């Protein structure tokens, strides 16, 4: 056990849990997360990445309260002993949340999981459709693909002496070539969305594998719905996960995910939004590849697994290669994927 000066232990005292046990939880790329065990009670403690301002917790409180009022499961922020819902300590923001007893998957392994994920995400979207709220934290341009591509070019221009530049450059050239062939997405109205609906941000029942709830809600906000769905499907339909350069797009998982989403959202999602699902998925693959590739040189944003990779750059190179492979795989079956969307939502 770390000494009492260890920051999470300092924070436990603030929440009146000085005698609780701590263990690292999950493999999030951004926030650091611990499981807190106090007798028979469990909680989740997080140290937020500095990219998220403290007021993001106000947004989470409002949204999760709305979700629970609609009958959905959602984690609840817990007040510290002074009544505050977050704490500032050593330059970081800390919070404590209720524990939701569920399992997260690093990748989907069965079509039934994709169908469950799709239905849960649709319930999430529909439950929030009537929420009138002005977010304290805004994320303008989060899926501004040209901006992310420009950031990649800036990383290339500014890190020519980086020791991994020769390995990163071919990846970047392939990403830029894929980006040049992307079709522009139509202008569509914003919806209230999760913002990062990748598979390991969904908790599943450990027995039935039923999708229970969405977690890691710092990315809440408004954006066009196809971008949210594209971000979901690029994650759900990659059965090899994000750390395999031979990743591929699973049409079977895509069909299941679309069917799950349509089972709740048919008649709510518009035809224009449906038509943009596949192009948006391809766009998100390329955009995320650009972000990983840029960080292979910048080495400043995404977390990385030091037990498996020699450097942050090496891990990000593999992630970028994985997104490239999945994007090319989707291009190979694009017509079939678009037919799935037409059939499911017209049926």
């Amino acid at each position: 056990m770390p000494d009492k000066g260890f920051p999470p232990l300092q924070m436990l005292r603030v929440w009146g849990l000085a005698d609780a046990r701590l263990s690292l939880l999950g493999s999030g790329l951004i926030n650091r997360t611990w499981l807190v065990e106090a007798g028979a009670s469990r909680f989740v403690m997080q140290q937020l990445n500095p990219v998220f301002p403290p007021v993001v917790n106000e947004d989470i409180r409002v949204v999760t309260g709305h979700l629970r009022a609609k009958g959905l499961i959602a984690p609840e922020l817990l007040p510290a002993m002074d009544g505050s819902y977050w704490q500032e300590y050593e330059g970081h923001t800390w919070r404590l949340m209720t524990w939701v007893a569920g399992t997260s998957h690093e990748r989907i392994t069965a079509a039934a999981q994709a169908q469950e994920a799709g239905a849960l995400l649709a319930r999430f979207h529909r439950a929030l459709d009537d929420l009138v709220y002005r977010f304290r934290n805004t994320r303008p341009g989060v899926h501004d693909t040209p901006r992310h591509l420009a950031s990649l070019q800036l990383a290339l221009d500014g890190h020519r002496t980086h020791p991994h530049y020769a390995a990163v450059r071919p990846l970047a050239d392939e990403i830029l070539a894929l980006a040049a062939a992307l079709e522009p997405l139509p202008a569509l109205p914003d919806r209230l969305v999760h913002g990062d609906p990748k598979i390991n941000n969904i908790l599943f029942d450990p027995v039935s594998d039923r999708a229970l709830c969405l977690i890691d809600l710092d990315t809440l906000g408004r954006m066009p719905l196809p971008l949210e769905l594209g971000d979901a499907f690029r994650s759900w339909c990659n059965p090899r996960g994000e750390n395999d350069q031979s990743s591929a797009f699973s049409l079977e998982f895509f069909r299941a995910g679309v069917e799950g989403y349509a089972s709740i959202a048919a008649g709510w999602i518009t035809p224009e939004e449906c038509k943009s699902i596949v192009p948006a998925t391809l766009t998100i693959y390329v955009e995320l590849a650009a972000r990983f590739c840029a960080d292979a040189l910048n080495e400043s944003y995404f977390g990385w697994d030091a037990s498996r990779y020699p450097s942050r750059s090496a891990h990000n190179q593999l992630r970028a290669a994985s997104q490239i492979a999945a994007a090319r795989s989707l291009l190979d079956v694009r017509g079939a994927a678009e037919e799935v969307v037409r059939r499911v939502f017209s049926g």
Side-chain angles (χ1 to χ4, degrees):
M1 174 68 71
D3 63 51
K4 292 295 182 179
F6 186 54
L9 291 178
Q10 292 281 84
M11 290 296 97
L12 285 181
R13 287 196 283 273
V14 174
W15 268 272
L17 295 166
D19 296 326
R21 291 180 298 152
L22 279 174
S23 55
L24 278 170
L25 185 65
S27 58
L29 300 185
I30 308 300
N31 297 331
R32 295 191 71 195
T33 305
W34 288 265
L35 172 64
V36 179
E37 297 177 279
S41 300
R42 289 183 166 189
F43 309 95
V44 173
M45 174 167 280
Q46 284 193 310
Q47 174 190 298
L48 273 65
N49 187 290
V51 299
F52 299 121
V55 293
V56 73
N57 293 293
E58 288 293 340
D59 299 338
I60 292 172
R61 285 189 67 210
V62 170
V63 169
T64 55
H66 192 83
L67 290 170
R68 289 191 297 273
K70 292 292 186 77
L72 275 68
I73 298 171
E76 181 178 0
L77 284 173
L78 299 173
M81 295 177 71
D82 65 1
S84 63
Y85 286 90
W86 69 85
Q87 291 283 317
E88 304 283 339
Y89 181 70
E90 293 189 347
H92 291 283
T93 301
W94 296 81
R95 66 181 174 216
L96 190 76
M97 297 172 289
T98 55
W99 162 264
V100 178
T103 301
S104 67
H105 302 305
E106 289 302 312
R107 63 185 189 276
I108 283 184
T109 57
Q113 292 171 345
Q115 188 162 14
E116 278 287 318
L120 174 67
L121 187 59
R123 288 194 294 271
F124 181 93
H125 289 157
R126 297 206 67 172
L128 295 177
D129 194 43
D130 64 347
L131 175 60
V132 178
Y133 175 67
R134 183 174 182 178
F135 281 85
R136 302 285 304 280
N137 177 47
T138 58
R139 303 169 67 224
V142 63
H143 285 304
D144 183 346
T145 306
R147 180 173 67 86
H148 289 300
L149 293 168
S151 295
L152 172 57
Q153 189 61 61
L154 284 173
L156 291 170
D157 294 341
H159 294 282
R160 294 184 184 276
T161 60
H162 191 285
H164 293 285
Y165 184 88
V168 172
R169 182 76 219 203
L171 292 172
D173 289 342
E174 192 166 2
I175 292 164
L176 294 171
L178 284 167
L182 289 175
E183 62 193 74
L185 298 174
L188 293 169
D190 288 343
R191 303 268 203 177
L192 205 166
V193 298
H194 178 278
D196 188 18
K198 60 188 177 184
I199 191 57
N200 63 359
N201 279 340
I202 297 175
L203 291 183
F204 290 80
D205 184 283
V207 177
S208 67
D209 222 18
R210 183 174 66 88
L212 297 175
C213 75
L214 284 146
I215 58 172
D216 279 357
L217 302 169
D218 301 288
T219 52
L220 289 163
R222 291 182 172 86
M223 70 173 70
L225 187 62
L227 291 172
E228 167 95 334
L229 294 177
D231 203 9
F233 289 125
R234 70 92 198 158
S235 168
W236 305 351
C237 302
N238 182 0
R240 294 176 183 168
E242 294 182 353
N243 295 316
D244 190 323
Q245 62 184 6
S246 61
S247 292
F249 182 85
S250 169
L251 191 61
E252 176 191 8
F253 291 178
F254 180 72
R255 181 181 296 108
V258 170
E259 288 173 350
Y261 193 84
S263 70
I264 304 297
W268 174 78
I269 183 174
T270 68
E272 292 77 15
E273 289 169 331
C274 290
K275 290 176 185 176
S276 293
I277 290 174
V278 174
T281 304
L282 182 59
T283 297
I284 298 298
Y285 271 133
V286 174
E287 178 184 291
L288 186 55
R291 294 178 64 199
F292 283 139
C293 194
D295 203 45
L297 296 174
N298 294 328
E299 299 193 74
S300 61
Y301 184 76
F302 291 108
W304 62 288
D305 187 347
S307 68
R308 297 178 58 193
Y309 304 96
S311 66
R312 188 191 303 263
S313 179
H315 195 171
N316 280 322
Q317 289 173 53
L318 179 59
R319 289 165 168 157
S322 173
Q323 299 303 308
I324 292 169
R328 293 205 175 279
S329 177
L330 173 55
L331 282 170
D332 290 341
V333 297
R334 177 172 180 167
E338 291 177 334
E339 179 57 29
V340 165
V341 173
R342 283 193 293 269
R343 179 184 60 77
V344 170
F345 284 102
S346 66

